[in-house]
Amino acid sequence: MNDAAPAPTPAPAPRKRARVRAPELIGKGGWLNTGGKEITLADLRGKCVVVDFWTFCCINCLHVLDELRELEEEHRDTVVIIGVHSPKFVHEAEHAAVVDAVERYEVHHPVLDDPELATWKQYAVRAWPTLVVIDPEGYIVAQHAGEGHAHAIARLVAELEAEHEAKGTLRRGDGPYVAPEPVATDLRFPGKALVLPSGNLLVSDSTRHQLVELAPDGESVVRRIGSGERGFGPDSFSEPQGLALLPDGSVVVADTVNHALRRFDPATGAVETVAGTGRQWWQGSPTSGPALDVDLSSPWDVAWWQGKVWIAMAGVHQLWTWDPQTAAVAVAAGTTSEGLHDGPAPEAWLAQPSGLAAAGDRLWIADSENSALRYVEPAGEGADGYAVRTAVGTGLFDFGHRDGDAAQALLQHPLGVTALPDGSVAVCDTYNHALRRFDPATGQVSTLATDLREPSDAVLVGEDIVVVESARHRLTRLRLPEEAVRVDAVAHRTQRAATEVAPGTLRLDVVFQAPAGQKLDTRYGPSTRLLVSSTPPELLVGGDGTGTDLFRELALNPEVTEGVLHVSAMAASCDDDPANEYPACHVHQQDWGVPVTVTAGGATRLPLVLAGMDA
């Protein structure tokens, strides 16, 4: 027996970080929110820098903007967040559109407009959104893809502050952000509209966090609903979007960034919450139940159909329903996988559905990231439930402005759809600045109007159609034309370069390192999930499907030379403190669509960083 006092437990060694110098930030579009000043990494030396690679079409990127707001406020004198706008769609490469998006989503930090993806390539980014942390000496210390990383970055920032304060390499003080001058307009980036029984128009004034009631002329303001400050109280909204009139005359509002549905009574002006908790839904959370107990995720539009309110749940690529009679919500279509796949509603894939319109036995969907027009209908004789079908569009990577037969027609990120009296539908083809029309009777797509600025919704008023020109901050009244407008056809594919991979076996590694002080949460089974599929499906002859390991051996079909790998990963981590009975837990998740070309000499390993650094 040894009676000597036990040796003290040594303090844990500091985590070693890879010493990788951060590449310079370059982009032909220049800088926004800096007062016209160019910024270099040398200017940021002494600060903890978080580089946010985003694009304004991407709902996950918008979620991350909201996640970063608290970090941005709490560490204003030590942290500089730099947004690098890296476009997916052609419209997103337009500088004026980036300027609009920075204001629309209240981005309060410098933004580099990188239309040619120069900085994206320098940092080897593979997904929107991606966050890269640079220490005060200019070295990359972490990379995170997807959502749910704000807590990990906040912890890392605290470590960096302490480390560099001690070294004398931390510089406190104001960052380079310069707020732009505000612009006075009655509406600011309005989202959706509807006609009230009074004949007035109700508009979601998204950037000002209000609803605005306008006279029938579409211009005169009758009243504003909401304080105008972002919030979740009885007199506040947060970037509201969709509006639906209920049979009782009340209006359901998709309160998008509050992840909730609100009900507005035009007679009394009262606003109440009818669905959602104010928290964002994460994998593993309930998908049905009492509406006020279930989390939602960025509801973007709502429509009354088949006796329920249908919800375009953009944040999780699904459709949900809310039943006012039972006060319950439930998933109606979609698996949360992002893509274009038709079939029974529970098995269908959607991609950021953002517009809904009920028309008889069909619910039309503007499926924005797929650049598609789709619809839900009863599954048919002998089948239960509903089915999802595609009218126009082929998937995540093909878009453009092309009329004609629906099988080859192209849209570009549509946000709104409106049922027309003749059975056809009008599509707010947002990134083409156009109003399009699809006629189910003929299968033809045409263009009704051009020179609109990011149209996001449209409503019928008599023989006219009133279009929400979101980026012109107004409603525009058009007479429905009898003939289509002729436009020059153009087709596009995403700008991202394909990853060259070798034929045969491809090792897929999703890199995940739990944040300091946390560990993978295995209390209730595996804490990680990996789902792999491909377009075309024939690209993979092995390795697709769902599993719990964050690595996979993929077998590539030698007869398919190019395609897209769809990878969805999730990891849950909790505080690593045995004394804490209720540790704080966090979910990290990301979906990747990786274009690949199969070629001799290509890579045999595909690393995708969810959190940490690839060794």
Side-chain angles (χ1 to χ4, degrees):
M1 181 175 179
N2 186 350
D3 293 329
T9 302
R15 291 182 299 159
K16 291 189 178 297
R17 300 191 181 98
R19 301 291 285 175
V20 178
R21 177 69 73 177
E24 192 54 82
L25 304 173
I26 54 174
K28 282 196 171 181
W31 289 90
L32 305 175
N33 285 354
T34 64
K37 181 183 176 182
E38 298 284 318
I39 294 178
T40 67
L41 287 177
D43 299 328
L44 302 176
R45 202 61 49 83
K47 299 286 190 181
C48 304
V49 179
V50 180
V51 182
D52 175 18
F53 290 89
W54 69 296
T55 188
F56 64 78
C57 72
C58 164
I59 191 66
N60 311 93
C61 299
L62 303 186
H63 289 167
V64 167
L65 286 176
D66 289 314
E67 289 177 6
L68 293 176
R69 292 186 199 279
E70 185 175 344
L71 176 75
E72 195 167 28
E73 186 59 38
E74 290 187 359
H75 299 267
R76 190 165 293 281
D77 67 333
T78 58
V79 172
V80 174
I81 296 175
I82 299 290
V84 177
H85 188 268
S86 313
K88 170 187 174 180
F89 290 101
V90 170
H91 169 59
E92 293 175 305
E94 297 175 14
H95 183 70
V98 180
V99 173
D100 284 345
V102 168
E103 180 189 352
R104 180 195 295 267
Y105 297 116
E106 298 184 304
V107 180
H108 293 162
H109 50 252
V111 172
L112 175 64
D113 181 10
D114 182 18
E116 297 179 350
L117 303 180
T119 295
W120 166 287
K121 293 169 186 172
Q122 286 291 313
Y123 280 77
V125 175
R126 294 185 183 274
W128 297 278
T130 291
L131 298 167
V132 177
V133 182
I134 302 171
D135 73 11
E137 294 179 292
Y139 291 94
I140 295 175
V141 292
Q143 181 172 326
H144 303 266
E147 303 178 47
H149 302 294
H151 71 285
I153 292 175
R155 188 154 191 159
L156 176 57
V157 162
E159 291 181 8
L160 292 173
E161 287 175 342
E163 176 185 336
H164 289 273
E165 188 93 78
K167 290 174 66 175
T169 49
L170 185 70
R171 176 168 57 88
R172 294 184 179 272
D174 292 338
Y177 171 67
V178 177
E181 290 293 323
V183 181
T185 52
D186 286 333
L187 301 173
R188 205 71 193 161
F189 298 105
K192 305 289 186 180
L194 63 75
V195 181
L196 294 170
S198 65
N200 287 349
L201 292 155
L202 188 67
V203 183
S204 55
D205 197 18
S206 301
T207 298
R208 294 217 175 104
H209 315 297
Q210 291 181 317
L211 308 181
V212 178
E213 185 175 345
L214 301 174
D217 62 11
E219 297 180 6
S220 304
V221 175
V222 175
R223 61 173 163 168
R224 296 181 181 275
I225 300 96
S227 66
E229 297 294 326
R230 185 190 296 272
F232 193 35
D235 190 36
S236 55
F237 301 93
S238 187
E239 298 181 31
Q241 286 285 340
L243 306 167
L245 189 66
L246 297 187
D248 65 3
S250 65
V251 176
V252 172
V253 182
D255 196 2
T256 304
V257 178
N258 278 327
H259 309 294
L261 297 188
R262 319 292 293 281
R263 177 151 53 186
F264 164 62
D265 184 345
T268 66
V271 175
E272 63 173 333
T273 302
V274 295
T277 63
R279 297 184 301 269
Q280 184 184 342
W281 185 92
W282 291 99
Q283 289 286 352
S285 302
T287 56
S288 63
L292 291 171
D293 297 336
V294 178
D295 300 338
L296 309 182
S297 183
S298 296
W300 207 274
D301 202 7
V302 281
W304 178 256
W305 187 61
Q306 303 265 320
K308 296 178 181 179
V309 172
W310 287 65
I311 310 163
M313 202 72 76
V316 286
H317 318 299
Q318 291 181 313
L319 302 181
W320 289 36
T321 60
W322 170 61
D323 187 338
Q325 295 299 316
T326 63
V329 293
V331 173
T335 66
T336 76
S337 293
E338 184 180 16
L340 194 152
H341 178 70
D342 289 345
E347 302 170 15
W349 289 19
L350 300 143
Q352 211 169 302
S354 300
L356 299 174
D361 61 356
R362 284 186 178 179
L363 179 70
W364 293 97
I365 309 163
D367 201 20
S368 63
E369 280 293 288
N370 276 324
S371 295
L373 173 65
R374 307 177 74 185
Y375 59 93
V376 179
E377 64 180 0
E381 189 174 347
D384 295 327
Y386 297 92
V388 175
R389 317 284 188 204
T390 299
V392 183
T394 58
L396 289 166
F397 299 99
D398 295 293
F399 53 91
H401 191 155
R402 187 162 63 199
D403 288 334
D405 187 75
Q408 54 85 51
L410 294 172
L411 308 169
Q412 186 179 180
H413 197 79
L415 291 179
V417 59
T418 306
L420 299 180
D422 64 357
S424 66
V425 289
V427 179
C428 286
D429 194 5
T430 310
Y431 287 3
N432 280 327
H433 310 299
L435 188 67
R436 312 284 293 282
R437 177 178 179 264
F438 168 68
D439 185 352
T442 64
Q444 294 293 300
V445 175
S446 57
T447 298
L448 297 177
T450 58
D451 194 30
L452 301 166
R453 187 69 185 170
E454 293 192 15
S456 55
D457 195 22
V459 292
L460 290 172
V461 179
E463 296 183 354
D464 297 338
I465 188 165
V466 175
V467 179
V468 180
E469 277 199 272
S470 189
R472 282 200 177 114
H473 320 292
R474 71 186 189 192
L475 304 187
T476 297
R477 186 181 296 261
L478 304 172
R479 180 57 55 92
L480 276 173
E482 296 181 3
E483 295 184 2
V485 176
R486 183 173 180 81
V487 295
D488 293 328
V490 59
H492 302 288
R493 296 212 85 208
T494 181
Q495 293 187 59
R496 282 188 294 167
T499 299
E500 293 188 352
V501 296
T505 301
L506 176 66
R507 165 82 179 204
L508 170 66
D509 283 318
V510 174
V511 178
F512 178 76
Q513 296 157 5
Q518 295 202 340
K519 64 178 181 179
L520 289 173
D521 178 20
T522 57
R523 292 172 298 164
Y524 307 108
S527 61
T528 56
R529 187 193 73 162
L530 181 63
L531 172 65
V532 181
S533 62
S534 66
T535 302
E538 297 77 23
L539 175 64
L540 289 177
V541 294
D544 57 334
T546 304
T548 57
D549 293 323
L550 292 181
F551 61 88
R552 190 80 58 85
E553 298 285 339
L554 306 180
L556 302 176
N557 186 342
E559 297 181 2
V560 180
T561 58
E562 64 178 12
V564 178
L565 293 175
H566 302 284
V567 180
S568 178
M570 184 273 288
S573 62
C574 291
D575 290 344
D576 187 9
D577 181 0
N580 186 354
E581 186 177 357
Y582 302 105
C585 298
H586 306 275
V587 176
H588 319 257
Q589 65 182 41
Q590 172 62 11
D591 296 328
W592 291 268
V594 183
V596 296
T597 300
V598 182
T599 180
T604 58
R605 175 177 178 263
L606 176 62
L608 300 175
V609 177
L610 179 60
M613 298 284 284
D614 181 26

